[in-house]
Structure formats: structure tokens, C-alpha cells
Amino acid sequence: GAVVSQHPSWVICKSGTSVKIECRSLDFQATTMFWYRQFPKQSLMLMATSNEGSKATYEQGVEKDKFLINHASLTLSTLTVTSAHPEDSSFYICSARDTRRGANSPLHFGNGTRLTVT
Amino acid sequence: AQSVTQPDIHITVSEGASLELRCNYSYGATPYLFWYVQSPGQGLQLLLKYFSGDTLVQGIKGFEAEFKRSQSSFNLRKPSVHWSDAAEYFCAVGATNFGNEKLTFGTGTRLTIIP
């Protein structure tokens, strides 16, 4: 079945540094990927929609300059948390849909990335 | 705007007992409804979906859910739970069936299974 791979699965970084998270669709192409953030014991909140070859669409309240999204190919989207601070510590999850299967194809979720900023 | 309410934060069930997880939604048009399961530190796995037709939908792992428009509900059920069902369960509503539109998730229900 379709698989979405996220890397790394967990990362610890120092405050002020930047961290890049990768989301790959392993056996399908995805013109659109979604990035979510999940705080402990809370639901997933959509941060942005990543569009291949164009700018990402950010949800209200999400800082574009802080959470940089790049979707340079049909199988890879990256989320870079710039100048990370402890309040950015969270669980980040991506999802993608097989573009060739059309609107009826389900979203496939990655296993998430646990970010801890010290 | 669409919204989802999962009234139960945590439910504990004995292995072999039946299960029902509640989900209420708010949406101005015909909703597209989903149940996902999340194991600790993992992503989400789709259990089942509803977008039209039979209001009782069957999913994977023996789960089913019933769409009740009059109650704005989409409760998840399983007749006999297994220890491996312990996880976090999320109900979600979308504007279209699987489309690029945003999914709105509920806050989740954590399921604990006791022997």
C-alpha cells in the first residue's frame, strides 16, 4: 500500500537553530501534501498545504517565515522550523494523497516527527 | 466552519467488551466523515469513512460507524475489543471526500484496554 515516510522520527535541537523535516511519498506522486502539528494530548492542527512547484498555503496564525515549506518534487516536501524555540516543541505529521488516483484516493499519513527544542 | 466534538477524552474498556466512541460534527452541508487511529508516536491510520449511501459503514479491524444526520453524530463501534485496539482515536470531518480541502479533527479519545 501507499506509504509516506517522514524523517527524522525524532530530533532534539538547541534554541535558535533550524530543523528540517522531510516527508516523502514512497510509491506514489503527490502534488499536494499537508503539514500538521499535534501538541500532547491534543488533536492535529493543519499548519499548511504544500503545493508542488508553487508556494505553500498557510493556515491562519501560522508564521510563514518560521515554518518554511518546500515542495520541489512530486514525492518530497520539507518543513523547516527556523530559529526554533522551546514552544515549537511538538509532534509534526505530514500527509499526502496519490495525485494519479484522483479525489477519491485517501490521505496517507507519515509516522510523525517529535521535535524537542532545548 | 466545520467542527468536530469528541466528548470522551479517555475511555477504559475490558478486553472482549463492546466499544462505542462518540463523535459529533458541525457542518453546513453534507459532511464527509472519517475515523482515524493513532498508536503512540505514530501517524494516523484510516479506519473508515462515510461520504454517501449506507449510513452504517464498515472499516478495518472490525470497526464500524453509523452516520446519524438527525443527531449530527458519527459514532465508532466495535463489538469486541482486543488489547491491540488501545490507541488514540480521532474523528474528522472534511468538506469533500478525500479532496484537497482541509480535514478538521476532533480532540481525540484515548482508549485503554484492561485484561
Side-chain angles (χ1 to χ4, degrees), chain A residues 31-32 34 36 38 41-46 49 59 91 93 97 102-112 114, chain B residues 6 9 36 38 41-46 49 51 88 90-91 97-108 110:
Chain A
T31 56
T32 304
F34 302 91
Y36 301 84
Q38 185 181 28
K41 300 185 179 182
Q42 295 189 27
S43 186
L44 282 75
M45 299 299 296
L46 180 65
T49 301
E59 295 302 300
F91 194 57
I93 304 176
R97 185 170 56 84
N104 287 330
S105 63
L107 286 176
H108 301 281
F109 285 81
N111 283 339
R114 172 74 59 194
Chain B
Q6 291 181 249
I9 297 173
Y36 288 89
Q38 182 183 35
Q42 301 290 313
L44 274 70
Q45 180 182 23
L46 179 66
K49 63 186 184 296
F51 51 95
E88 190 90 18
F90 292 96
C91 182
N97 181 29
F98 299 123
N100 287 339
E101 283 74 10
K102 296 169 281 188
L103 287 184
T104 299
F105 288 86
T107 51
R110 184 160 61 93

Side-chain angles (χ1 to χ4, degrees), chain A residues 8-102:
Chain A
S9 55
W10 60 272
V11 58
I12 301 173
C13 70
K14 292 185 177 180
S15 185
T17 62
S18 295
V19 174
K20 179 184 285 187
I21 303 170
E22 294 185 348
C23 179
R24 293 181 184 273
S25 55
L26 296 185
D27 55 359
F28 64 95
Q29 295 180 335
T31 56
T32 304
M33 294 185 177
F34 302 91
W35 287 97
Y36 301 84
R37 183 174 181 177
Q38 185 181 28
F39 290 103
K41 300 185 179 182
Q42 295 189 27
S43 186
L44 282 75
M45 299 299 296
L46 180 65
M47 298 175 64
T49 301
S50 172
N51 304 298
E52 188 268 334
S54 65
K55 292 182 179 180
T57 304
Y58 290 81
E59 295 302 300
Q60 189 174 8
V62 178
E63 298 177 59
K64 300 179 183 181
D65 295 332
K66 181 162 190 65
F67 298 100
L68 301 180
I69 292 175
N70 183 278
H71 194 153
S73 78
L74 287 171
T75 59
L76 174 64
S77 174
T78 61
L79 169 68
T80 301
V81 183
T82 62
S83 187
H85 291 283
E87 57 264 31
D88 298 324
S89 299
S90 190
F91 194 57
Y92 294 87
I93 304 176
C94 73
S95 70
R97 185 170 56 84
D98 187 338
T99 303
R100 291 172 299 183
R101 294 184 61 189

Side-chain angles (χ1 to χ4, degrees), chain B residues 23 42 55 71:
Chain B
C23 171
Q42 301 290 313
T55 56
Q71 299 177 18

